[in-house]
Amino acid sequence: MTACDSLECPLNNVALLRCGFYTVDEKGVEHAVVVQDTLTVTASGTDSVLINMQTKMKSIVLPMSSWRDIDTIVFNWNRDELEWRDTLRIAKTNIVHFETPDCPTVMFHHISSATAAPGTIDSVAITNPTVNYEQNENVRIYFVAAP
Amino acid sequence: MKTLGFILLLLLSFVAPHTISARCLAADMLLSDSLLVAAIDSVDETVTDSVPKKKRIIPSWISSADVRVDLCGPLMSVMGIGFTQYEVGARVGIKNRYFPIVEFGVGSSDYVGETTGKSNHVYAPFFRIGCDYNFTKNNKHDSRFTMGLRYGFSSYTYDLLDKYFVDAIWNDAHAIELNHVNGRMHWIEAVTSAETRLWHFLHLGWSVRYKFPVAQQSATAGKPWYVPGFGINDDSTWGANFNLIFEI
């Protein structure tokens, strides 16, 4: 016989991709930047809006797909009347994290590559490939110039 | 006079039954008197009967032995705890102070999360071994208060199923099914017990147990909700037994 146990599900039970914004100066030194433009992020192939019209950001967190091997994430920028778009592609392995039967199942991810279509994003670097409950930065997005 | 000497030697052989010389002298005296030859058989029989040879099979330091059945485990699923456990044990008493014990049984669970619909299935045997120490002052009393430790082990296969996993953001829905996943756990239990004699060889006893795993092997995707013999799979857990004990 065993006593009843309390129900303890993780409060932050979503594994999120954490992206930091950076630029590299002429000397090759990288700097974190605060993006002033308005950003809306959408999940390609769906009508989901991941981030809606945010400004003054130096990082963002994004939910990743549970089953797809590659997530295509669209950055829609807006400054005054000007609009432009960047596309980020994240290739990954999905890892089931079952938790207990009383808590929702969560998917962790292991990023294998991160690329961006030519645009205001110059390059993308993976700093921590494991996407889980830990709130570490996973990728660094380097802009050609502060957008 | 010869008869008086015989009687004295015979008495001496009773007082010191292992003294061979006394019995030999008595026999010599009897052999010299043919009338008493018939009596020697009865004398030898008397001497032999007065020294019964008791062959003790069980060592004297073993004070008791029992087998026990847990009555709580089968009631667990009825009480809505989510698992069922059948358990028996055997214990011996050493000088009524130390009680080495073995326990074994089977446990099963088909727990389904109320809010998620996720299910967990496991069915496997388990085994424990340990020792209790009797703290009762009058340790020959029928009641005992003991404390002890157990080492527990179970090797099991388990199934995890989430039929309703939906990714609402990316518009995906897939069932997650993990079948026949192998796992094992080693754990330690600190046990406090109290028991008393109910009738002749029949005892009743309670035990309360604090359990913690020392090693666990399971899939990276997830571990079972319940481990047979341990209980709900957590960093630590409490358990209790209500034992029907047959002691000799």
Side-chain angles (χ1 to χ4, degrees):
Chain A
M1 175 175 144
T2 299
C4 296
D5 198 11
S6 58
L7 186 61
E8 293 178 356
C9 295
L11 293 174
N12 55 340
N13 60 349
V14 180
L16 297 169
L17 175 71
R18 298 175 185 278
C19 309
F21 295 157
Y22 293 83
T23 58
V24 179
D25 64 19
E26 302 81 17
K27 297 176 183 175
V29 180
E30 61 182 63
H31 303 277
V33 293
V34 177
V35 176
Q36 301 294 330
D37 300 308
T38 303
L39 174 63
T40 297
V41 180
T42 57
S44 179
T46 73
D47 55 0
S48 299
V49 176
L50 308 181
I51 290 176
N52 188 28
M53 300 181 70
Q54 285 193 16
T55 60
K56 296 178 181 176
M57 300 160 292
K58 61 179 183 181
S59 65
I60 55 174
V61 292
L62 303 170
M64 306 192 80
S65 69
S66 299
W67 300 106
R68 299 182 187 196
D69 294 328
I70 297 173
D71 285 357
T72 303
I73 301 164
V74 180
F75 289 64
N76 300 285
W77 301 102
N78 184 289
R79 183 195 299 163
D80 301 328
E81 299 295 314
L82 193 61
E83 292 182 358
W84 69 98
R85 177 179 291 186
D86 283 309
T87 304
L88 185 66
R89 287 167 60 84
I90 307 285
K92 61 186 172 50
T93 304
N94 304 307
I95 304 160
V96 174
H97 195 68
F98 196 83
E99 294 289 350
T100 74
D102 292 307
C103 300
T105 301
V106 177
M107 297 298 281
F108 290 169
H109 311 279
H110 187 272
I111 301 169
S112 53
S113 72
T115 57
T120 52
I121 295 178
D122 179 56
S123 61
V124 182
I126 301 169
T127 50
N128 178 18
T130 303
V131 180
N132 53 20
Y133 293 143
E134 293 179 13
Q135 300 181 359
N136 297 324
E137 182 184 77
N138 301 111
V139 297
R140 290 187 173 187
I141 298 174
Y142 296 96
F143 292 101
V144 174
Chain B
M1 189 63 188
K2 193 177 278 186
T3 306
L4 182 63
F6 167 72
I7 291 169
L8 283 172
L9 286 169
L10 191 62
L11 285 172
L12 181 61
S13 70
F14 271 99
V15 173
H18 299 293
T19 308
I20 298 170
S21 58
R23 274 179 278 172
C24 290
L25 279 171
D28 286 342
M29 293 175 72
L30 285 170
L31 285 170
S32 65
D33 189 344
S34 60
L35 291 173
L36 293 174
V37 167
I40 192 167
D41 291 331
S42 62
V43 169
D44 282 349
E45 283 173 8
T46 308
V47 170
T48 306
D49 290 342
S50 68
V51 190
K53 291 180 179 177
K54 288 183 180 176
K55 284 192 175 179
R56 188 182 171 93
I57 299 169
I58 301 171
S60 60
W61 44 269
I62 291 183
S63 52
S64 64
D66 70 59
V67 291
R68 49 189 56 217
V69 180
D70 175 38
L71 303 178
C72 267
L75 300 175
M76 298 303 286
S77 60
V78 179
M79 295 161 64
I81 303 298
F83 61 85
T84 308
Q85 202 160 281
Y86 298 94
E87 181 179 333
V88 295
R91 192 176 76 164
V92 293
I94 298 176
K95 297 181 178 178
N96 216 6
R97 186 62 77 185
Y98 302 97
F99 291 86
I101 185 169
V102 291
E103 298 164 330
F104 51 92
V106 292
S108 65
S109 171
D110 284 299
Y111 183 76
V112 179
E114 285 184 17
T115 55
T116 62
K118 293 166 62 177
S119 63
N120 170 103
H121 170 76
V122 63
Y123 175 83
F126 63 87
F127 170 79
R128 299 191 203 102
I129 188 167
C131 188
D132 291 330
Y133 180 82
N134 182 13
F135 283 91
T136 311
K137 274 190 175 180
N138 179 6
N139 65 6
K140 290 184 179 176
H141 198 264
D142 289 337
S143 298
R144 299 188 186 106
F145 173 76
T146 62
M147 296 180 81
L149 291 173
R150 304 279 188 280
Y151 158 76
F153 173 76
S154 183
S155 179
Y156 44 83
T157 59
Y158 60 100
D159 305 326
L160 305 174
L161 175 63
D162 184 356
K163 292 189 288 188
Y164 309 106
F165 184 82
V166 176
D167 183 344
I169 296 172
W170 292 82
N171 295 337
D172 286 324
H174 287 271
I176 299 174
E177 196 168 356
L178 303 170
N179 289 324
H180 308 300
V181 182
N182 291 316
R184 61 180 61 183
M185 181 189 272
H186 306 259
W187 70 92
I188 298 292
E189 299 180 9
V191 185
T192 302
S193 308
E195 65 181 68
T196 190
R197 184 187 296 272
L198 195 67
W199 175 76
H200 293 287
F201 56 86
L202 194 63
H203 292 229
L204 280 179
W206 273 101
S207 68
V208 179
R209 299 157 183 250
Y210 176 73
K211 313 176 184 188
F212 57 93
V214 290
Q216 183 175 15
Q217 176 190 319
S218 56
T220 53
K223 56 187 184 179
W225 176 79
Y226 160 78
V227 173
F230 179 79
I232 294 172
N233 194 354
D234 210 337
D235 293 338
S236 65
T237 189
W238 288 88
N241 290 66
F242 182 57
N243 286 316
L244 189 61
I245 304 164
F246 303 91
E247 181 174 309
I248 56 171

